[in-house]
Amino acid sequence: MIVRSKAPLRISLAGGGSDLHAYADLYGGGVLNAAIDMNAYAHITPRRDGKIVLHAVDRNERVELDADAKLDIDGTLDLARGVYNRIVKDFHHSAPLAFELQTFVDAPAGSGLGSSSTLVVAIIGAFVEWLQLPLGEYDIADLACAIERVDLGFAGGRQDQYAATFGGWNFIEFFPGNRVLVNPLRIRSTNLQELEFNLVLYYTGTSRLSSSIIESQIRNLEDATTESVEAMHHLKEQASMMKEALLKGEFDRIGEILDYGWHHKKNTASEISNPEIEAIYAAAKKAGASGGKISGAGGGGYLMFYCPGNTRYRVVEALRRFGGECHRMSFDDRGLSTWQVK
C-alpha cells in the first residue's frame, strides 16, 4: 500500500504580514490569498524492517533512521521530522512507526509561494490518510502551524497552512491567540479566467531565507516601530479592499490595490526589497502593469504583476532582460487531497 497526498501552493494578494502573532494578537489580521496549480506532494510506504526513510526527491536529500518515538531535529529534513514527532506523540501513543516518506514540491524553498508550510500540510495529510486520524480542515491547519511555529520554532505567519488545507480563494481572519476564521470567496468563473489571464508570475531565480525577514518584521512590531505598525494597518486594510474588488469584479482596481500594498509592505522591514527587485518592479510598470507585489516575506523568490488588457505580453518581454522566468498559472479550488494506492 502507498498513501499519497498533495496540497496546493498559494499566492497572497493582500494583507500578508498581518497574520503574524506580533500583530494579530493586538489588532487582528486579515489576509486574502488563492491556491494555485502548483503543489507539494507526500507519499508514505509502510515498512516492516523497523526503519524510517525520509527522502526529499526534489532536493536530493535522503536519510535512513531506526524507527523511534522521537526523531532528532538536526537541520536535515526537519519539517518531516517535526510532523512525525507530533503525529506519534499526539495520535500514536508514542509508539514508533516504520515507513518511507517521499516528498516533492513544485516550487523551490524560499520562493514566496508558501512551499514549506504547504509541504507540512501535505505530510500531515499523508499520515492522516494512513492512520485514519479524525482530523478536519481546521485541525490539520492548526496542527501544521503548531509544528512549524512552536515545535520547530520557525518564524512566520499562519496564512499558508490554511490556504494549503482549504484551497480556493479565501479571506482569512486572525484573532488574538490562535483563533482563525477562513471565509471562502465565491468569485465568478469568468472573473477567475480574467484574473488568470492578467496575472504574471515572475521568478527572480533566487530564493531567500524568509525567517530572517519575518524576524525583522516581528522585532519592529514588538518595538512598536510606528512606521512598521502603520504599514501593517494599511496591509490589513488592503485585504478588505481586495476582497471587495474581487467580489464585485472591479478589475481596474486590482493592480492599484496591489501597488498600494507593495509600497506599504516595504515599510514593515528593510530587507523586503532591494535594488534588483525595484528595477524589476519599475520595468513591469513601465511596460503596462498597473501594480504588483513580491510573494511571501520578500527579498527574492516570485513577484506577481497585474497586467490589464493585453499588456501581459509587453510586461513579459520587458522582464526577459533580468534573467528570470515568467509563468502562467491557474487557480485551484481544491485543498489538501489524500488517497491510497493498493
Side-chain angles (χ1 to χ4, degrees):
M1 177 186 72
I2 300 174
V3 175
R4 303 196 193 278
S5 71
K6 70 174 184 177
L9 304 183
R10 62 95 186 103
I11 56 170
S12 177
L13 281 88
S18 70
D19 55 328
L20 293 168
H21 272 293
Y23 180 84
D25 286 355
L26 292 175
Y27 308 103
V31 171
L32 194 149
N33 59 33
I36 60 175
D37 61 342
M38 299 170 70
N39 294 277
Y41 304 87
H43 318 283
I44 290 179
T45 305
R47 296 173 66 109
R48 298 179 180 177
D49 59 358
K51 297 291 185 180
I52 293 175
V53 175
L54 306 177
H55 186 191
V57 178
D58 52 330
R59 299 172 60 178
N60 196 29
E61 293 185 50
R62 184 181 187 275
V63 296
E64 183 173 324
L65 309 160
D66 291 326
D68 202 342
K70 185 175 182 180
L71 303 182
D72 292 335
I73 305 300
D74 64 1
T76 304
L77 303 177
D78 283 349
L79 294 177
R81 293 171 187 255
V83 173
Y84 171 80
N85 288 346
R86 179 60 82 100
I87 291 291
V88 167
K89 174 177 175 289
D90 289 359
F91 305 103
H92 208 249
H93 308 291
S94 295
L97 293 163
F99 60 95
E100 178 170 352
L101 170 67
Q102 293 188 348
T103 60
F104 188 91
V105 184
D106 287 335
S111 63
L113 300 178
S115 57
S116 296
S117 298
T118 304
L119 179 58
V120 170
V121 168
I123 296 172
I124 292 173
F127 277 108
V128 168
E129 177 69 26
W130 180 26
L131 303 176
Q132 292 297 291
L133 302 179
L135 299 181
E137 292 170 321
Y138 277 101
D139 299 320
I140 291 171
D142 291 346
L143 181 59
C145 289
I147 290 169
E148 282 194 88
R149 307 296 171 237
V150 179
D151 298 357
L152 297 175
F154 295 162
R158 292 169 286 163
Q159 65 161 309
D160 300 346
Q161 295 87 348
Y162 291 89
T165 305
F166 284 82
W169 283 81
N170 295 296
F171 179 73
I172 308 175
E173 297 174 279
F174 300 90
F175 301 96
N178 289 310
R179 194 161 70 91
V180 179
L181 184 61
V182 178
N183 304 280
L185 301 183
R186 296 179 60 186
I187 303 174
R188 291 182 179 179
S189 60
T190 52
N191 290 354
L192 292 179
Q193 292 180 60
E194 181 67 10
L195 287 169
E196 288 177 351
F197 182 80
N198 289 342
L199 286 172
V200 171
L201 268 183
Y202 175 77
Y203 183 53
T204 62
T206 60
S207 60
R208 78 286 182 268
L209 187 62
S210 62
S211 59
S212 62
I213 299 172
I214 292 168
E215 286 166 359
S216 292
Q217 290 179 313
I218 292 172
R219 282 195 302 271
N220 290 338
L221 291 169
E222 291 177 342
D223 293 342
T225 304
T226 301
E227 185 178 47
S228 182
V229 173
E230 287 297 322
M232 284 294 187
H233 291 337
H234 287 295
L235 290 174
K236 182 173 69 171
E237 177 192 21
Q238 181 208 19
S240 296
M241 294 163 59
M242 184 66 75
K243 178 177 70 170
E244 181 179 358
L246 288 170
L247 292 176
K248 291 183 176 180
E250 297 172 342
F251 297 109
D252 57 332
R253 293 183 58 207
I254 292 173
E256 298 172 4
I257 295 170
L258 287 172
D259 193 59
Y260 170 86
W262 169 240
H263 290 295
H264 287 295
K265 185 179 181 69
K266 289 187 289 184
N267 290 328
T268 64
S270 60
E271 303 95 328
I272 285 173
S273 189
N274 57 48
E276 179 184 7
I277 291 172
E278 291 295 325
I280 293 170
Y281 195 91
K285 288 202 70 177
K286 184 177 180 181
S290 54
K293 69 183 293 294
I294 200 160
S295 293
Y302 279 89
L303 283 84
M304 177 179 64
F305 298 101
Y306 189 79
C307 309
N310 289 319
T311 58
R312 65 170 294 116
Y313 303 109
R314 296 202 303 270
V315 171
V316 169
E317 186 61 32
L319 296 177
R320 291 187 191 279
R321 67 183 179 90
F322 294 98
E325 298 178 7
C326 288
H327 299 277
R328 284 188 179 273
M329 65 171 186
S330 298
F331 301 116
D332 193 343
D333 61 359
R334 296 169 298 177
L336 173 65
S337 302
T338 65
W339 67 98
Q340 297 184 21
V341 181
K342 298 182 179 179

